[in-house]
Every structure is written in structure tokens, then in C-alpha cells.
Amino acid sequence: MNETLLLKRHGLRETQPRLLVLRTLARSKSPLGVGQIHKSLSSRGDSVNLVTVYRVLGALVKLGIVHQHPCNGCYALCSLPDQPGHHGFLHCSACGKREEFTDHAL
């Protein structure tokens, strides 16, 4: 995924915090909490404070680039960014797998 193009397509400036948060979510195989994102950035030596992580996530959620999962409050990149309609999630309690879906009727 090209984070720069994703930001431009949604009319956002390319800032270091936005790129770092998007890249962290893109690398993750599962949704991440704000603290996990911040810890991941800090462990790689990237200087983004916790308030900035919250602000970046809030802006990305408003635009539909990132979703906050209702079951655990964690964040994940939208896997269906060009699909219109309501996006929802299926979460398997046995294996933990999460899958995004979209439906116009919802």
C-alpha cells in the first residue's frame, strides 16, 4: 500500500505522524490499540507523542481510511477503501480472525 497516495486521495497532507501511523497499521496482522501503536513507534525510534497518535487516528477514522473495531476498540486499516456503504466486521471468537465486509443495505 502506498500511504502517500492514500493520504492525497483523501485530501490530507503527507505528514510524518500520519505516515508512521499508517505504516504501523499496514504492518500489523491484527488491529492495534493506541498504546500498541505508540509503543511500536517508540521502539523503532520514531518520535510521535501519544496525543498525536490519537489525533491522527481520529482524522483517519473520520475519512474511513482506518476503522475502530467495536468489539475491542483497536484500530485497523480499511481493507475495502473503495467499497461504498457501511463497513462491518466479523470476528471469530475461536481463532480470533477478523474480516471486514461492506453492504449497501446496512
Side-chain angles (χ1 to χ4, degrees), residues 28-72:
S28 178
K29 294 182 193 258
S30 62
L32 298 173
V34 176
Q36 292 171 304
I37 295 167
H38 183 255
K39 185 177 179 181
S40 176
L41 293 170
S42 296
S43 70
R44 289 196 311 260
D46 295 317
S47 177
V48 179
N49 69 47
L50 188 58
V51 172
T52 301
V53 174
Y54 273 106
R55 287 182 182 152
V56 167
L57 288 169
L60 298 176
V61 166
K62 271 187 175 178
L63 292 171
I65 298 170
V66 169
H67 295 298
Q68 185 174 18
H69 288 253
C71 61
N72 61 11

